Amino acid sequence: MLEQLNEWNFKKEIAEIKNLFDWEKVYIKLLGKKGKINSFFAKIKEVPADQRKVFGQRLNEIKKEIEKLLEVKKLEIKKLEEKKFFDPTLPGKPYLKGSLHPLTYVIEEIVSIFSSIGFIRVSYPEVEWEYFSFEALNMPKGHPARDDFETFFIDFPQDKKYGRVVLSPHTSSGQNREMRRIKPPIRMINIAKTYRPNWDATHTPMFHQFEGLCIDKDINITHLKGTIDYFVKRFFGKNRTIRLRPAHFQFTEPSFEVDVSCGVCQGKGEIDGQKCKVCKSGWLELAGAGMVHPNVLKMGGIDPQKYSGWAFGFGPERCMMMREEMKIDDIRILYSGDIRFLEQF
Ligand code: DAH
């Protein structure tokens, strides 16, 4: 009997199992009530008395081994079947979805507002010649106005005419480039990254601007006002108004600062007799603008006797924060890549 037990090749029987159906059959055959293990136990009486102990021990060992091998086999089969089996009715695994940066949405919206009144979006180099950033905007070398546009300079050989290479400090450099590209009528919206070496709670070294430029015959300030008013009403809401305040820029004459009426106090500057905490005056500063300086037109190859134009420069970050009334105490969070912030949009 002990010999029979020792010769029993149960490992082979288990190894030959191919699927769960076989597995079930083998399980019953080996470990079931009327299975082989039990039949050996039943025959224990037939074993000569001196071999009984060894027989019993061996049988128990084999039983345990079979249990273990069957368990391993079951896992193997399940894994294999999982691989083979595809149930198209099961719901798919949800993938993590990214989203666009909140500012990207705002830029798309700005482009769509201006394109509805005939403005075409263009892009001009972020790595730009000094000439387009300054000289072509009526700020010759050494002019103090250039200091207003603190600038990153690139380590690159100077050009005799165009000067040094800079990271464009404002989108106004697109004005001359657009005048070189096409003849009037010009209706440009140039949205780009701009750079200035500032890093604090209200400045990031990289930010954005959008520059509007309109050049045609008989263009005057009312067209400028009308266009900005149209944008403000669509972007901030119908009840918002704008005002122009005199200012100075080298590339426009006359020049203005554009203010938008405060959305919190509706331009009144106070709420229930208290000064509005957001604007303090009823107005919020929004942009710079003006009528394109004749020198700027000339440098773009356009005759200022025949044509006139206006230009403005806005900050989309500022527009976004003003509209969403984001209470951000540090603007750098916009570009920190912090998912907890970005996920909210
Ligand atoms: N380029 C100016 C800046 O970065 C903004 C600006 C002012 C743009 C007046 C214009 C303009 O087109 O007419 O501060």
Side-chain angles (χ1 to χ4, degrees), residues 16 30 38 47 52 60 77 134 141 199 236 275 285 287 297 322 326 334 342:
E16 281 169 0
L30 304 187
N38 276 348
V47 179
R52 235 173 250 168
N60 270 319
I77 293 172
F134 301 113
K141 278 202 180 69
W199 177 252
F236 292 102
K275 250 193 186 171
E285 264 182 49
L297 289 174
M322 272 169 58
M326 285 180 172
L334 280 181
L342 296 172

Side-chain angles (χ1 to χ4, degrees), residues 32-216:
K33 245 189 200 165
K34 290 180 187 160
K36 216 154 171 181
I37 288 287
N38 276 348
S39 75
F40 272 119
F41 274 121
K43 285 181 193 152
I44 209 159
K45 284 171 258 140
E46 295 166 26
V47 179
D50 59 338
Q51 287 179 17
R52 235 173 250 168
K53 197 176 162 207
V54 184
F55 181 84
Q57 273 173 353
R58 182 76 193 115
L59 190 54
N60 270 319
E61 273 167 25
I62 291 177
K63 189 181 172 195
K64 277 200 183 119
E65 204 176 344
I66 288 176
E67 281 167 351
K68 212 170 107 192
L69 288 172
L70 279 173
E71 208 43 50
V72 170
K73 192 75 193 174
K74 195 176 192 173
L75 289 176
E76 266 174 29
I77 293 172
K78 276 197 172 161
K79 258 195 190 158
L80 267 174
E81 300 210 335
E82 261 168 31
K83 264 193 204 161
K84 270 194 288 185
F85 183 66
F86 172 67
D87 182 351
T89 64
L90 286 175
K93 282 186 195 147
Y95 283 94
L96 279 179
K97 259 194 281 174
S99 62
L100 294 175
H101 191 277
L103 195 75
T104 307
Y105 290 116
V106 166
I107 288 176
E108 279 176 5
E109 195 181 336
I110 293 168
V111 172
S112 114
I113 292 173
F114 280 102
S115 73
S116 69
I117 49 171
F119 283 75
I120 291 166
R121 183 186 185 175
V122 293
S123 310
Y124 285 116
E126 284 172 31
V127 181
E128 181 57 288
W129 294 104
E130 228 176 330
Y131 175 86
F132 293 98
S133 300
F134 301 113
E135 273 95 323
L137 290 163
N138 201 29
M139 290 181 275
K141 278 202 180 69
H143 196 285
R146 284 167 88 130
D147 298 344
D148 297 342
F149 305 93
E150 287 171 85
T151 306
F152 284 112
F153 291 93
I154 303 279
D155 193 4
F156 191 80
Q158 278 204 39
D159 182 85
K160 265 202 203 104
K161 176 161 185 213
Y162 296 119
R164 289 173 285 178
V165 175
V166 299
L167 290 184
S168 180
H170 54 178
T171 44
S172 302
S173 47
Q175 292 192 18
N176 185 276
R177 287 202 174 263
E178 183 74 349
M179 292 181 220
R180 286 169 180 240
R181 186 178 76 87
I182 51 166
K183 294 275 150 267
I186 289 173
R187 278 162 184 64
M188 165 191 99
I189 194 86
N190 173 29
I191 308 192
K193 293 191 175 73
T194 44
Y195 302 85
R196 293 183 203 173
N198 296 314
W199 177 252
D200 58 39
T202 52
H203 296 91
T204 48
M206 185 286 296
F207 55 105
H208 295 75
Q209 286 193 341
F210 60 104
E211 187 91 9
L213 178 70
C214 172
I215 301 173
D216 206 341

Side-chain angles (χ1 to χ4, degrees), residues 202-250:
T202 52
H203 296 91
T204 48
M206 185 286 296
F207 55 105
H208 295 75
Q209 286 193 341
F210 60 104
E211 187 91 9
L213 178 70
C214 172
I215 301 173
D216 206 341
K217 288 185 174 139
D218 303 322
I219 293 292
N220 60 50
I221 297 173
T222 62
H223 301 122
L224 169 65
K225 250 192 121 169
T227 307
I228 297 180
D229 191 59
Y230 173 79
F231 167 72
V232 162
K233 287 196 161 48
R234 278 200 55 188
F235 190 82
F236 292 102
K238 286 205 173 84
N239 53 346
R240 308 292 279 271
T241 51
I242 58 157
R243 73 171 181 190
L244 303 184
R245 263 185 303 117
H248 175 79
F249 297 103
Q250 278 297 113

